[in-house]
């Protein structure tokens, strides 16, 4: 876990790299799923949550990128101090975790789809088909360029029934 110290001058110091950092660097740590903890340099009080809220606050300042609308924020504020506060926290955590799982599954399906329909995939299938047609042509077999690549020609040697007259000598 990366330990970040916050000094009275409001500067953040990454103890793992021995350098000062800013909120953008902490945001990058979050995006990279790095575990970290921000503590007050004098009292060792955990300040991680307040730093994360500060990052969210900066992101929310731009209405075009906002996730938390005024309506959502008002509804969240109403849960503080209510009997449902603990339930709401658990609900939000589980909802976001489920959303992220679904998003990962969707990205996996889309990636598989894009790979299967990529121009290179189509090109490889065409090359494979042309090679099969060429091999059939050079083997003296009738060529059906419209047959699927998994179909074997009816006249291929492996599918020809042996005549009773032909015996190996």
């Amino acid at each position: 876990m990366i330990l970040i110290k916050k000094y009275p001058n409001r500067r953040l110091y990454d103890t793992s790299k021995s350098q000062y950092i800013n909120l953008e660097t902490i945001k990058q740590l979050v995006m990279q799923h790095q575990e970290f903890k921000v503590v007050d340099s004098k009292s060792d009080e955990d300040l991680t949550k307040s730093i994360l809220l500060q990052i969210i606050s900066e992101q929310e300042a731009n209405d075009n990128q906002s996730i938390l609308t005024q309506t959502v924020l008002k509804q969240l504020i109403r849960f503080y101090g209510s009997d449902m506060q603990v339930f709401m926290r658990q609900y939000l955590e589980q909802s976001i975790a489920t959303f992220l799982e679904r998003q990962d599954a969707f990205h996996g399906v889309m990636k598989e789809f894009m790979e299967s329909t990529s121009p290179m995939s189509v090109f490889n299938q065409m090359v494979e088909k042309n090679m099969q047609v060429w091999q059939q042509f050079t083997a003296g077999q009738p060529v059906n360029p419209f047959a699927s690549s998994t179909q074997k020609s009816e006249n291929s040697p492996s599918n020809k029934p042996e005549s009773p007259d032909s015996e190996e000598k």
Side-chain angles (χ1 to χ4, degrees):
M1 177 176 298
I2 298 171
L3 180 64
I4 299 169
K5 292 187 176 187
K6 183 175 181 185
Y7 287 92
N9 62 3
R10 300 178 65 188
R11 294 192 74 188
L12 300 166
Y13 186 77
D14 183 342
T15 59
S16 69
K17 294 183 179 177
S18 300
Q19 66 184 24
Y20 286 100
I21 61 172
N22 56 23
L23 289 178
E24 184 62 32
T25 306
I26 293 178
K27 181 181 171 188
Q28 290 172 0
L29 292 174
V30 171
M31 300 303 281
Q32 296 167 357
H33 301 272
Q34 294 284 324
E35 291 297 320
F36 64 91
K37 183 177 184 179
V38 181
V39 296
D40 184 271
S41 64
K42 290 183 180 179
S43 67
D44 279 341
E45 177 187 356
D46 188 352
L47 302 174
T48 308
K49 189 173 183 177
S50 67
I51 294 295
L52 294 173
L53 285 169
Q54 191 175 348
I55 292 169
I56 289 173
S57 178
E58 286 184 7
Q59 294 295 305
E60 287 293 315
N62 183 351
D63 283 336
N64 295 336
Q65 296 178 345
S66 178
I67 294 176
L68 303 172
T69 63
Q70 288 183 18
T71 303
V72 170
L73 290 171
K74 288 175 185 176
Q75 291 170 346
L76 287 173
I77 290 169
R78 289 183 187 114
F79 277 99
Y80 286 96
S82 75
D83 296 339
M84 300 298 288
Q85 182 175 345
V86 173
F87 170 76
M88 179 53 108
R89 178 177 51 216
Q90 293 171 344
Y91 174 77
L92 288 173
E93 285 178 357
Q94 290 174 352
S95 295
I96 291 173
T98 301
F99 178 82
L100 292 173
E101 287 172 9
R102 299 280 193 266
Q103 185 182 28
D104 288 344
F106 177 76
H107 284 305
V109 168
M110 287 305 294
K111 182 180 178 186
E112 185 178 309
F113 173 75
M114 293 304 288
E115 287 174 353
S116 67
T117 59
S118 72
M120 283 305 293
S121 174
V122 172
F123 179 75
N124 287 340
Q125 290 173 1
M126 284 178 23
V127 169
E128 209 173 284
K129 181 75 144 179
N130 288 341
M131 287 302 295
Q132 289 174 353
V133 168
W134 178 253
Q135 288 171 347
Q136 288 175 352
F137 176 76
T138 57
Q141 299 174 5
V143 177
N144 180 0
F146 301 107
S148 71
S149 60
T150 56
Q151 280 183 332
K152 289 192 173 195
S153 172
E154 290 180 20
N155 296 333
S156 72
S158 60
N159 289 344
K160 279 189 181 176
E162 289 192 25
S163 66
D165 301 46
S166 62
E167 291 180 12
E168 289 189 33
K169 296 182 183 178

